[in-house]
Amino acid sequence: EEPVSLGDIPNLEQEPPISSSSSSSVIAASGKSFAINGIPMCDSSDFTGADEEEAAAALGHCCHLIILIARYLGLPLRYSMIAFGSRSVVYDEVGTAPSASLPTVGSPATSQSSSAFPLFSKGSDPRRFAYAVFLLNKNVDHILSTLGPSFSRGRQFKLRNTLFNLHALLRF
């Protein structure tokens, strides 16, 4: 069976959803920031000072892109996600959440809601939001590691660099 390449997706090279951004409002540690569909997003370890709605929209785009990449490659995601734009959610069915006593997304009466973590900070517990971003990044890491050494070619990927990692995936 011939290896799958994300470069085979039509029009992805002509108009990639992730681009380098020169915006000075969001600067990653490398001195460069990235934007997804024109929405800048910082290093995912710190959303302090970022516009809540912009961050939620960018994470929603990331969530959707990760779902599409996984589906295209035929990979199951470790943490299921539902892309609802700026109200996207990541599920941790394993139950390794930071604390079982944290507030939940949705109705607390359902077991699924206790495993739901919001990819938006507005109106959410900051710890649940941070954990959701961590789970999203773990899904990206899972895809990267599944592609193996032929993909990484000695590149070092940091878990918190969501858009950098997705950008590298799309260039594969």
Side-chain angles (χ1 to χ4, degrees):
E1 193 172 300
E2 196 170 315
V4 178
S5 170
L6 292 176
D8 295 337
I9 299 174
N11 297 324
L12 202 53
E13 287 297 319
Q14 293 172 352
E15 197 171 320
I18 299 171
S19 60
S20 293
S21 170
S22 60
S23 169
S24 61
S25 62
V26 183
I27 300 174
S30 67
K32 285 185 176 180
S33 63
F34 285 89
I36 183 163
N37 287 342
I39 303 169
M41 190 172 118
C42 60
D43 175 321
S44 65
S45 65
D46 184 19
F47 284 96
T48 307
D51 179 83
E52 289 179 331
E53 290 302 322
E54 272 192 357
L59 287 168
H61 285 305
C62 290
C63 177
H64 189 213
L65 186 59
I66 293 164
I67 291 169
L68 292 175
I69 290 171
R71 184 166 290 167
Y72 180 76
L73 294 175
L75 296 173
L77 292 172
R78 292 210 171 153
Y79 304 99
S80 61
M81 300 189 297
I82 297 180
F84 288 132
S86 64
R87 295 298 177 253
S88 297
V89 177
V90 181
Y91 291 94
D92 181 9
E93 286 88 12
V94 178
T96 56
S99 171
S101 64
L102 293 176
T104 61
V105 174
S107 169
T110 65
S111 62
Q112 188 178 30
S113 66
S114 64
S115 67
F117 295 89
L119 283 168
F120 53 92
S121 61
K122 193 172 191 174
S124 301
D125 182 294
R127 295 171 294 175
R128 293 187 69 80
F129 169 67
Y131 191 63
V133 174
F134 171 76
L135 294 178
L136 177 129
N137 286 324
K138 289 299 285 181
N139 276 335
V140 174
D141 184 58
H142 172 65
I143 294 170
L144 291 170
S145 64
T146 302
L147 293 175
S150 63
F151 172 73
S152 60
R153 295 187 199 121
R155 289 181 274 198
Q156 295 293 326
F157 295 101
K158 293 181 181 175
L159 189 62
R160 67 179 178 262
N161 295 338
T162 309
L163 288 183
F164 175 81
N165 295 342
L166 283 173
H167 187 257
L169 253 175
L170 292 177
R171 295 286 177 225
F172 179 58

